[in-house]
């Protein structure tokens, strides 16, 4: 076999040659490098107005923070229109402008979980959420802690943890203190808020024997009962020997179910004029109910009434949302559910069919780790 006598060209060198050739081609677009850093993204609710009048106070729940690669280019404002019922609950929530808005999936559920004064129903209300972003290494420590409680975009990267630890003392010096006795509150005995995951971040120090000192609430959602129980749990815990300062531990209480607003009686048996749809129609391919994930995370139920026609081959078309509560997003999800369903073929098809799709949470007697979040991240 003949031996090569020329220079050896490595794989990286070949890749570099190809890249150089492509960049030299006339009219060739330059492809920007992929982003290499992560940002923390959040939304801040603005003033609430109903008609021309501002609604006093700031009852809007903060949407959950998310992680992003690079800087989002989609709109940095999202406005909702809604009504307030007699109990103070936001209903009939719709987004002011259609189209995709990145990282905004929790804005409508956060609004739905908010509460206004009862006994004063309102119409024509609006609120605008403004997006903010921060590099992980520069982000507010409390905002990063909040993300770790409900990390919907994956684990917090090292840069975020390093930022959190910068607010700590010697508790994060190696070797880390290890729990010998870890006490937890009786989460099920604590009050929970519909649609809101309560959390308490407890800061504490350790004496030379590993006993917690000076436990205090560093941050959280203001659930007084959870704060009190969390402080007691830290006081009763014990750690490996060695005096430390600036330790943290989070406790959180899962939201309880928020039931959907009552469906108006007129919609229970609503029909379309001229309907040829049978009252009891079977499905050749039944709809598969899929709960909208942003609303499932907050345990918020909803419903939608959808009208549609059926082709002779069984496919559904001409779909329209008649009504949906507490948000139009349940109507969008109901149509997505029904699009996958099929009737049995028929000679004439059907017009004017109406179905009611109810999104109901499962039983609440789940195992404690799932229901109450008793496995928070380690700090």
């Amino acid at each position: 076999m003949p031996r090569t006598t020329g220079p050896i060209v490595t794989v990286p060198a070949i890749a570099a040659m190809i890249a150089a050739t492509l960049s030299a081609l006339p009219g060739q677009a330059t492809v920007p490098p992929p982003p290499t850093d992560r940002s923390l993204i959040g939304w801040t609710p603005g003033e609430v107005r109903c008609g021309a009048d501002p609604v006093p106070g700031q009852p809007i729940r903060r949407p959950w923070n998310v992680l992003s690669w690079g800087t989002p280019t989609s709109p940095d404002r999202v406005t909702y229109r809604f009504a307030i019922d007699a109990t103070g609950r936001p209903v009939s929530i719709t987004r002011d402008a259609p189209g995709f808005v990145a990282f905004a999936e929790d804005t409508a559920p956060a609004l739905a979980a908010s509460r206004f004064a009862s006994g004063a129903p309102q119409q024509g209300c609006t609120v605008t959420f403004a997006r903010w972003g921060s590099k992980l290494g520069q982000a507010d420590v409390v905002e990063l802690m909040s993300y770790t409680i409900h990390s919907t975009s994956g684990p917090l990267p090292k840069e975020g943890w390093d930022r959190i630890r910068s607010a700590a003392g010697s508790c994060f010096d190696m070797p880390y203190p290890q729990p010998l006795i870890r006490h937890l509150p009786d989460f099920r005995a604590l009050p929970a808020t519909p649609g809101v995951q309560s959390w308490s971040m407890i800061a504490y120090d350790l004496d030379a024997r590993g006993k917690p000192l000076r436990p205090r609430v560093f941050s959280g959602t203001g659930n007084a009962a959870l704060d009190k129980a969390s402080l007691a749990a830290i006081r009763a815990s014990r750690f490996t020997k060695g005096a430390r300062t600036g330790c943290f531990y989070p406790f959180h209480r899962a939201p309880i179910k928020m039931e959907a607003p009552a469906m108006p009686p007129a919609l229970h048996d609503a029909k379309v004029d001229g309907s040829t749809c049978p009252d009891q129609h079977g499905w050749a391919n039944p709809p598969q109910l899929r709960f909208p994930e942003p609303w499932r995370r907050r345990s918020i139920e909803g419903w939608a009434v959808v009208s549609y026609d059926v082709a002779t081959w069984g496919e559904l078309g001409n779909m329209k949302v008649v009504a949906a509560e507490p948000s139009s997003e349940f109507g969008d999800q109901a149509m997505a559910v029904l699009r996958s369903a099929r009737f049995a073929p028929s000679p004439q098809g059907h017009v004017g069919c109406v179905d009611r799709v109810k999104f109901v949470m499962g039983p609440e007697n789940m195992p404690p780790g799932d229901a109450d979040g008793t496995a928070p991240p380690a700090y």
Side-chain angles (χ1 to χ4, degrees):
M1 179 180 294
R3 300 177 62 185
T4 58
T5 57
I8 298 175
V9 181
T10 63
V11 171
I14 294 173
M17 293 165 58
I18 294 173
T21 302
L22 291 175
S23 63
L25 292 176
Q28 183 73 23
T30 302
V31 178
T36 58
D37 54 353
R38 305 291 294 274
S39 296
L40 187 71
I41 303 295
W43 297 85
T44 302
E47 182 183 53
V48 177
R49 302 186 72 88
C50 292
D53 300 322
V55 178
Q58 185 55 270
I60 299 297
R61 302 287 183 183
R62 280 280 306 277
W64 292 345
N65 296 337
V66 296
L67 296 178
S68 164
W69 286 103
T71 303
T73 57
S74 65
D76 60 359
R77 298 285 190 278
V78 58
T79 298
Y80 289 96
R81 298 184 181 276
F82 61 100
I84 300 173
D85 69 11
T87 69
R89 176 178 184 171
V91 293
S92 304
I93 300 169
T94 59
R95 191 144 58 86
D96 201 31
F100 175 72
V101 179
F103 310 111
E105 64 177 11
D106 190 49
T107 48
L111 172 58
S114 305
R115 280 295 179 272
F116 297 86
S118 61
Q122 303 262 20
Q123 296 289 329
C125 304
T126 61
V127 64
T128 296
F129 292 82
R131 190 184 66 216
W132 56 264
S134 178
K135 301 297 184 185
L136 293 185
Q138 304 165 0
D140 181 85
V141 169
V142 172
E143 297 292 353
L144 288 167
M145 287 179 170
S146 175
Y147 176 77
T148 65
I149 301 300
H150 26 67
S151 49
T152 58
S153 307
L156 183 67
K158 180 178 182 299
E159 295 86 350
W161 284 113
D162 289 345
R163 176 64 175 161
I164 289 176
R165 289 170 180 137
S166 71
S170 60
C171 202
F172 294 100
D173 296 342
M174 294 291 289
Y176 300 142
Q178 299 298 311
L180 301 176
I181 302 174
R182 172 76 77 189
H183 276 257
L184 294 173
D186 180 1
F187 291 100
R188 293 184 186 277
L190 299 176
T193 305
V196 177
Q197 180 161 283
S198 302
W199 59 276
S200 299
M201 183 65 71
I202 305 301
Y204 59 97
D205 305 323
L206 294 173
D207 67 13
R209 297 172 297 170
K211 179 181 179 180
L213 301 173
R214 295 176 289 277
R216 61 266 185 202
V217 178
F218 184 81
S219 185
T221 53
N223 183 324
L226 177 61
D227 290 345
K228 181 179 179 180
S230 300
L231 289 169
I234 287 295
R235 291 190 186 99
S237 299
R238 293 296 182 269
F239 298 81
T240 48
K241 292 181 179 180
R244 300 296 180 102
T245 61
C247 303
F248 293 107
Y249 195 79
F251 298 87
H252 52 102
R253 175 67 167 97
I256 58 173
K257 179 171 63 179
M258 179 184 292
E259 295 183 355
M263 184 180 293
L267 292 176
H268 280 286
D269 300 309
K271 294 184 178 180
V272 176
D273 291 340
S275 171
T276 64
C277 198
D279 291 336
Q280 300 296 327
H281 54 263
W283 297 97
N285 184 17
Q288 300 298 313
L289 185 63
R290 296 181 300 277
F291 210 102
E293 183 61 18
W295 299 84
R296 186 201 64 79
R297 293 190 191 115
R298 288 186 176 269
S299 298
I300 300 176
E301 298 181 339
W303 54 262
V305 179
V306 180
S307 67
Y308 56 90
D309 300 334
V310 183
T312 55
W313 56 91
E315 183 177 357
L316 278 61
N318 191 28
M319 302 179 69
K320 299 176 183 177
V321 177
V322 178
E325 289 291 358
S327 166
S328 61
E329 292 184 10
F330 283 98
D332 297 337
Q333 185 71 6
M335 290 212 296
V337 166
L338 289 171
R339 283 193 188 99
S340 64
R342 293 290 184 275
F343 274 47
S346 60
Q348 293 83 26
H350 308 288
V351 296
C353 296
V354 177
D355 269 320
R356 294 148 194 85
V357 184
K358 296 181 180 180
F359 297 88
V360 179
M361 301 294 299
E364 295 190 44
N365 56 342
M366 301 293 288
D370 294 329
D372 298 319
T374 54
Y379 280 76

